[in-house]
Amino acid sequence: MRIVFMGTPASAAATLETLLGGPDEVVGVVTQPDRPAGRGQATMPSPVRRTAAAAGIPVLTPRKMKDPGLLEQLRGWRPDLVAVVAYGRILPQAILDLPPLGCVNVHYSLLPRYRGAAPMQWAILEGEAVTGVTTMRLVAEMDAGPILLAEEVAMEPDETAATLEARLVPVGARLLTATLEGVGSGSLTPRSQDPAGVTFAPMLTKEDGMIDWARAAPEIERRIRAFTPWPSAFSYWQGKRVKVHGATPAPAEEAQETDAPETVIAAYSPAVLARQVETPGTVVRAGADGITVATGAGALLITELQLEGRKRMAAEAFVRGAGLRAGMRFESPPS
């Protein structure tokens, strides 16, 4: 088959590389325009554009999907099918109708759950034990098309968005290869999504990473993992933004002696927390194992963080440098 591939980030580039090693001919690639990136904000091509250029495949970078010129260029490539992986834009009906075998999308969830731009992050946020990858036919409604193939993947207890993506992308590439083979041979039977099972995974923003200490400790811990590497979970310490890179719900145990008793502010237990800590975000205990912070339900043990303008550090190093005192608080937003 003659395939047009649409995608933008590194996950899509990895899938494109898999397709380039397959039996179908990738006749053209569509990706988002070059954008500023990195500290210097130099204009950079997308990972998909770099992969296509290295393979000598023609690339389009349209700014508007309804540009008549784009449709004409796509027609000139004469695709049998369009494969879409994390392109980042909604395709107009004219493009959906162009290829004889339709447009096929790889989505990193088990549809109909988590339709939208951030399915991996939302699966972690919601504490799912199982997620997966789905291939589907694209229709005008977002992520609502008939399912072609799907494969379950079990979540790891310490799963982050980064580790989950690393595990799902190869599954998606393999599933897309099988989907193209099935669509080409006519052996796949699409099945409709169950409307009763639909949930959504809306796009994230930088401010979504701000920690609300009034949430329960397990929920905050999931948010930290879901927002790794982007947008990163953060709070404020004495007016400065601090990213939290590692944390776990604190065990419910009584006070114990430590190797560094001078760093102990208070020991966490539900009873101690109820008596001594009224405001979520208050530091309850700080020691060699980390910083225990009161939340809306339970406490969170922070093990790794990063103050703005500084490198990532273990919580113990932060304790030594920040002068923690009983009752000091992480704030969201700062007062």
Side-chain angles (χ1 to χ4, degrees):
M1 292 187 296
R2 294 173 61 84
I3 305 294
V4 165
F5 183 86
M6 294 185 174
T8 300
S11 59
T15 306
L16 174 59
E17 288 180 352
T18 298
L19 292 188
L20 293 175
D24 299 308
E25 181 186 5
V26 180
V27 297
V29 165
V30 181
T31 188
Q32 291 206 31
D34 299 354
R35 299 188 187 283
R39 289 189 176 182
Q41 291 294 286
T43 301
M44 298 289 292
S46 74
V48 162
R49 181 170 187 174
R50 294 196 296 269
T51 298
I57 299 171
V59 179
L60 299 177
T61 58
R63 296 191 178 278
K64 295 182 179 180
M65 295 306 296
K66 294 186 178 181
D67 185 342
L70 170 62
L71 189 60
E72 288 305 311
Q73 289 176 301
L74 291 175
R75 285 198 182 107
W77 284 342
R78 296 180 292 108
D80 297 305
L81 181 145
V82 172
V84 183
V85 182
Y87 176 47
R89 289 187 176 174
I90 296 175
L91 304 189
Q93 192 65 47
I95 293 178
L96 295 177
D97 294 338
L98 174 64
L101 295 177
C103 299
V104 170
N105 176 242
V106 176
H107 189 75
Y108 297 110
S109 78
L110 295 176
L111 291 171
R113 294 187 64 76
Y114 302 114
R115 293 180 181 178
M120 291 180 282
Q121 291 87 342
W122 280 96
I124 296 172
L125 284 172
E126 296 298 326
E128 298 286 0
V130 175
T131 186
V133 182
T134 304
T135 57
M136 64 174 172
R137 289 195 181 279
L138 281 174
V139 296
E141 185 180 354
M142 182 183 65
D143 297 333
I147 293 171
L148 296 167
L149 292 174
E151 183 172 328
E152 290 188 356
V153 175
M155 289 279 208
E156 299 291 343
D158 58 350
E159 199 83 76
T160 68
T163 62
L164 184 58
E165 179 179 79
R167 295 199 299 126
L168 293 188
V169 167
V171 175
R174 174 166 46 79
L175 218 59
L176 179 58
T177 299
T179 298
L180 295 181
E181 180 181 350
V183 170
S185 66
S187 62
L188 282 180
T189 302
R191 57 184 176 88
S192 298
Q193 297 186 35
D194 179 5
V198 172
T199 63
F200 294 97
M203 183 181 296
L204 300 174
T205 68
K206 287 185 178 181
E207 292 310 306
D208 286 326
M210 187 167 66
I211 296 172
D212 178 2
W213 294 104
R215 296 177 185 269
E219 184 179 354
I220 296 173
E221 187 267 344
R222 290 197 302 270
R223 296 178 76 85
I224 292 167
R225 291 190 286 110
F227 297 154
T228 299
W230 193 91
S232 294
F234 65 91
S235 189
Y236 292 88
W237 179 260
Q238 297 182 338
K240 294 184 178 180
R241 181 177 291 210
V242 57
K243 294 181 179 179
V244 179
H245 293 294
T248 185
E253 59 187 14
E254 296 298 335
Q256 295 181 359
E257 291 295 321
T258 70
D259 294 334
E262 70 278 1
T263 67
V264 175
I265 293 173
Y268 166 72
S269 73
V272 169
L273 211 55
R275 290 196 309 269
Q276 298 185 5
V277 179
E278 296 180 357
T279 306
T282 301
V283 174
V284 179
R285 179 185 182 280
D289 59 341
I291 303 166
T292 303
V293 182
T295 72
L300 190 75
L301 178 66
I302 298 174
T303 56
E304 186 179 11
L305 32 63
Q306 181 179 10
L307 195 63
E308 64 180 78
R310 304 285 184 87
K311 295 181 179 180
R312 292 172 63 153
M313 67 181 74
E316 182 183 11
F318 185 85
V319 169
R320 290 197 302 265
L324 287 170
R325 296 290 183 272
M328 296 180 79
R329 294 180 55 217
F330 288 94
E331 299 173 334
S332 52
S335 58

